[in-house]
Amino acid sequence: MPLSTKIAIICSHAFKKRISSIAQNIENIQIEFYLYKHPSDAPTLLKQIKPCDALLFGGTLPYLYAQSSLATLPIPWNYLKQDEMTISTTLLSLIANKAISLPRLSIDVMHPKFVDHVLTEIEYTGTKPYVHPISITVPTDDVLKKHIALWEAQQIDFVITSIHSVFDELQLRNIPAMRMLDATSSIIQCLEETKTQSLLTKSESAKAVVGFLDIPENNRCADILQNITATTHATYKQIKANYFELYTTAGHLQNALEKEYFQHLSQQLDTPFRLAFGYGHSIYEAAENATQALKFAKPFEIYILDEQKNLLGPFPKSEGKLSLKTKDPYILQMAKQTSLSPLNISKIIQFSKERQSSQFTAQNLAEYLQVTRRTTERIIKKLVDHGYAKVVGEEMTHQQGRPRTIYELNFATY
């Protein structure tokens, strides 16, 4: 039986009741709740989370309050987004059960344009409801006061709020109100996405890695070997005198890079060792990649060649980080669909951001990724096949030969 994915959820008391029943429809997940009275409590709750596999915020507001603290989180995270589905579900429930006309409604939402989109879709041409934007820069009390003012002026008959604490206060004042209703399908999809992120991250971290360590002959060989294997949690096999093959995982290697263990190690050791690691779809391929990477390594340098033939390094001098723990749900979803690594997709997004033009050739991307033209063409083909890139033209060269295909990325990169 597969192990359960343990998901920590930061949410309100009201959302806990709703998600508890829905989560029963998803196999192999465990839920642990961290409840707030106000979304601004999210950063504090973040520090209380016990070991788990993933984190989910029960709404956009708690996510925004905690956003600045998520960069150092060692697990993937996700949040339930408010969208047109949420708003249309809520308005349908209101009209069906309360018979409230839209002009007599006051509603607060993350993005007021979503309300306009829903009203446009249903071809509504009457007077629009009162719509108030919410964000972490708008105090909750200000939103509450707007609803109360409209009620006391007898301009509205009902309130829909996205903020649970506002709903509780309106109830105390006997002002008719309801909370925004997240569609069951949206909650299930969000839980499934969070589970998938965790499984993908674990898969990346558990990937086998082979390394080669080359140490000049001296009497400190045993000390260097012990230090490096301890740093990377590696086992080893001696190939010849002062030359060793190491076996570890991507997660252990990533941890050593993130915590700058290699930098401290280089400062402590005066013996100019060379070290390289390779990833691969098999141990053989990983060893081949490590052999290639070692050709680039100078004394005290570490290089990594991944399964896509991306050369990373030299560490610890390189400012570039090998990120195996991409938590962006969008990137992870693309990785799942295209079979490209999250690292490659992150690099492609960065490539797009740094270019002055939205159009590019395979050669442009190959130069940026520092991989062969053939490898780049395989990457682009996967993007095109899944609709994440498209052909927009051809570029004639001054020399004889085939014209070069021009591409554009077909997904959000900002």
Side-chain angles (χ1 to χ4, degrees), residues 277-279 289 293 303-313 322 341 343-345 347 365-366 368-372 375-376 379:
F277 293 95
Y279 293 179
N289 288 338
Y303 275 93
I304 299 167
L305 189 66
D306 68 16
E307 62 268 44
Q308 302 293 337
K309 306 300 181 184
N310 297 314
L311 183 65
L312 307 162
L322 177 63
S341 70
L343 175 62
N344 263 342
I345 293 172
K347 285 184 174 182
L365 185 58
Y368 184 86
L369 297 178
Q370 295 185 327
V371 296
T372 66
T375 297
T376 305
I379 291 173

Coordinates of all heavy atoms in Angstrom, one line a residue, residues 277-279 289 293 303-313 322 341 343-345 347 365-366 368-372 375-376 379:
F277 N 29.8 15.2 -10.3 CA 28.7 14.4 -10.1 C 27.9 14.3 -11.4 O 27.9 15.3 -12.2 CB 27.7 14.9 -9.0 CG 28.4 14.8 -7.6 CD1 29.0 15.9 -7.1 CD2 28.3 13.6 -6.9 CE1 29.6 15.8 -5.8 CE2 28.9 13.6 -5.6 CZ 29.5 14.7 -5.1
G278 N 27.2 13.2 -11.6 CA 26.3 13.0 -12.8 C 25.0 12.5 -12.4 O 24.9 11.6 -11.5
Y279 N 23.9 13.0 -13.0 CA 22.6 12.4 -12.9 C 22.3 11.6 -14.2 O 22.9 11.9 -15.2 CB 21.5 13.5 -12.9 CG 21.6 14.4 -11.6 CD1 20.7 15.5 -11.5 CD2 22.5 14.2 -10.6 CE1 20.7 16.3 -10.4 CE2 22.5 15.0 -9.5 CZ 21.6 16.0 -9.4 OH 21.6 16.8 -8.3
N289 N 27.9 10.7 -17.2 CA 27.7 12.1 -17.0 C 28.8 12.7 -16.0 O 29.3 13.7 -16.2 CB 26.3 12.5 -16.6 CG 25.3 12.3 -17.8 OD1 25.7 12.3 -18.9 ND2 24.1 12.2 -17.4
A293 N 31.6 15.4 -16.6 CA 31.7 16.6 -15.8 C 33.1 16.8 -15.1 O 33.6 17.9 -15.0 CB 30.6 16.6 -14.7
Y303 N 31.7 20.1 -10.4 CA 30.8 20.2 -11.5 C 29.7 19.1 -11.4 O 30.0 18.0 -10.9 CB 31.5 20.2 -12.9 CG 32.1 21.5 -13.3 CD1 33.4 21.8 -13.0 CD2 31.3 22.4 -14.0 CE1 33.9 23.0 -13.4 CE2 31.8 23.6 -14.4 CZ 33.1 23.9 -14.1 OH 33.7 25.1 -14.5
I304 N 28.6 19.4 -12.0 CA 27.5 18.5 -12.1 C 27.0 18.5 -13.5 O 26.7 19.6 -14.1 CB 26.3 18.9 -11.1 CG1 26.8 18.9 -9.7 CG2 25.1 17.9 -11.3 CD1 25.9 19.6 -8.7
L305 N 26.8 17.3 -14.1 CA 26.2 17.2 -15.4 C 24.9 16.4 -15.2 O 24.9 15.2 -14.8 CB 27.1 16.4 -16.4 CG 26.6 16.4 -17.8 CD1 26.7 17.8 -18.4 CD2 27.5 15.5 -18.7
D306 N 23.7 17.0 -15.5 CA 22.4 16.3 -15.3 C 22.0 15.5 -16.5 O 22.7 15.4 -17.5 CB 21.3 17.3 -14.9 CG 20.9 18.3 -16.0 OD1 21.2 18.0 -17.2 OD2 20.3 19.3 -15.7
E307 N 20.9 14.8 -16.4 CA 20.4 13.9 -17.4 C 20.1 14.6 -18.7 O 20.0 13.9 -19.7 CB 19.2 13.0 -16.9 CG 18.0 13.8 -16.6 CD 17.9 14.2 -15.1 OE1 19.0 14.7 -14.6 OE2 16.9 14.1 -14.5
Q308 N 19.8 15.9 -18.6 CA 19.6 16.7 -19.8 C 20.8 17.3 -20.4 O 20.8 18.1 -21.3 CB 18.6 17.8 -19.5 CG 17.2 17.4 -18.9 CD 16.4 16.6 -19.9 OE1 16.6 16.7 -21.1 NE2 15.5 15.7 -19.5
K309 N 22.0 16.9 -19.9 CA 23.3 17.3 -20.4 C 23.6 18.8 -20.0 O 24.4 19.5 -20.7 CB 23.5 17.1 -21.9 CG 23.3 15.7 -22.3 CD 24.2 14.7 -21.6 CE 24.0 13.3 -22.1 NZ 24.8 12.3 -21.4
N310 N 22.9 19.3 -19.0 CA 23.2 20.7 -18.5 C 24.4 20.6 -17.6 O 24.4 19.8 -16.6 CB 22.0 21.2 -17.7 CG 20.8 21.4 -18.6 OD1 20.9 21.9 -19.7 ND2 19.6 21.0 -18.1
L311 N 25.4 21.4 -17.8 CA 26.6 21.4 -17.0 C 26.4 22.5 -16.0 O 26.2 23.7 -16.3 CB 27.8 21.7 -17.8 CG 29.2 21.6 -17.0 CD1 29.4 20.2 -16.5 CD2 30.3 22.1 -17.9
L312 N 26.5 22.2 -14.7 CA 26.3 23.2 -13.6 C 27.5 23.3 -12.8 O 28.1 22.3 -12.4 CB 25.1 22.7 -12.8 CG 23.8 22.4 -13.5 CD1 22.9 21.6 -12.7 CD2 23.1 23.7 -13.9
G313 N 27.9 24.5 -12.5 CA 29.1 24.7 -11.7 C 29.9 25.9 -12.3 O 29.5 26.6 -13.2
L322 N 21.6 24.7 -7.9 CA 20.9 23.6 -8.5 C 19.7 23.3 -7.7 O 19.7 22.9 -6.6 CB 21.8 22.3 -8.4 CG 21.2 21.0 -8.9 CD1 20.9 21.1 -10.4 CD2 22.2 19.9 -8.6
S341 N 12.7 18.4 -16.7 CA 12.9 18.6 -15.3 C 12.4 20.0 -14.9 O 12.5 20.9 -15.7 CB 14.4 18.5 -15.0 OG 15.1 19.6 -15.6
L343 N 14.0 22.0 -13.2 CA 15.2 22.9 -13.3 C 15.2 23.4 -14.7 O 15.4 24.6 -15.0 CB 16.4 22.1 -13.0 CG 17.8 22.9 -13.3 CD1 17.8 24.1 -12.4 CD2 19.0 21.9 -13.0
N344 N 15.0 22.6 -15.8 CA 15.1 23.0 -17.2 C 14.0 24.1 -17.4 O 14.2 25.1 -18.1 CB 14.9 21.9 -18.1 CG 16.3 21.4 -18.6 OD1 17.3 22.1 -18.5 ND2 16.3 20.1 -19.1
I345 N 12.8 23.8 -16.9 CA 11.6 24.7 -17.1 C 11.9 26.1 -16.5 O 11.7 27.1 -17.1 CB 10.3 24.1 -16.6 CG1 10.0 22.9 -17.5 CG2 9.2 25.1 -16.7 CD1 8.8 22.1 -17.0
K347 N 14.8 27.4 -16.0 CA 15.9 28.0 -16.9 C 15.2 28.6 -18.1 O 15.6 29.7 -18.5 CB 16.9 27.0 -17.2 CG 17.9 26.7 -16.1 CD 19.0 25.7 -16.7 CE 20.1 25.5 -15.6 NZ 21.1 24.6 -16.1
L365 N 18.5 29.3 -27.6 CA 18.2 28.6 -26.4 C 19.4 27.7 -26.0 O 19.8 27.5 -24.8 CB 16.9 27.8 -26.5 CG 16.4 27.1 -25.2 CD1 16.2 28.1 -24.1 CD2 15.1 26.3 -25.5
A366 N 20.0 27.0 -27.0 CA 21.1 26.2 -26.8 C 22.3 26.9 -26.1 O 23.0 26.4 -25.2 CB 21.6 25.5 -28.1
Y368 N 22.1 29.6 -24.4 CA 21.7 30.0 -23.0 C 21.8 28.9 -22.0 O 22.3 29.0 -20.9 CB 20.3 30.6 -23.0 CG 19.9 31.1 -21.6 CD1 20.2 32.4 -21.2 CD2 19.2 30.3 -20.7 CE1 19.8 32.9 -20.0 CE2 18.8 30.8 -19.5 CZ 19.1 32.1 -19.1 OH 18.8 32.6 -17.9
L369 N 21.3 27.7 -22.5 CA 21.3 26.5 -21.6 C 22.7 25.8 -21.5 O 22.9 25.0 -20.7 CB 20.3 25.5 -22.1 CG 18.8 25.9 -22.0 CD1 17.9 24.8 -22.6 CD2 18.4 26.3 -20.6
Q370 N 23.6 26.2 -22.5 CA 24.9 25.6 -22.6 C 24.8 24.1 -22.8 O 25.4 23.3 -22.1 CB 25.7 25.9 -21.3 CG 26.0 27.4 -21.2 CD 27.0 27.7 -20.0 OE1 26.9 27.0 -19.0 NE2 27.8 28.7 -20.2
V371 N 23.9 23.7 -23.7 CA 23.8 22.3 -24.1 C 23.9 22.2 -25.6 O 23.9 23.2 -26.3 CB 22.4 21.7 -23.6 CG1 22.4 21.8 -22.1 CG2 21.3 22.5 -24.2
T372 N 23.9 21.0 -26.2 CA 24.0 20.8 -27.6 C 22.7 21.2 -28.3 O 21.7 21.3 -27.7 CB 24.3 19.4 -27.9 OG1 23.2 18.6 -27.6 CG2 25.6 18.9 -27.2
T375 N 20.1 18.4 -28.1 CA 19.4 18.4 -26.8 C 18.4 19.5 -26.7 O 17.2 19.3 -26.3 CB 20.4 18.6 -25.6 OG1 21.3 17.5 -25.6 CG2 19.7 18.6 -24.3
T376 N 18.7 20.7 -27.2 CA 17.8 21.8 -27.2 C 16.6 21.5 -28.1 O 15.4 21.8 -27.7 CB 18.5 23.1 -27.7 OG1 19.6 23.3 -26.9 CG2 17.5 24.3 -27.6
I379 N 14.2 19.4 -26.3 CA 13.4 20.2 -25.3 C 12.3 21.0 -25.9 O 11.2 21.0 -25.5 CB 14.4 21.1 -24.5 CG1 15.4 20.3 -23.7 CG2 13.6 22.1 -23.7 CD1 16.5 21.1 -23.0

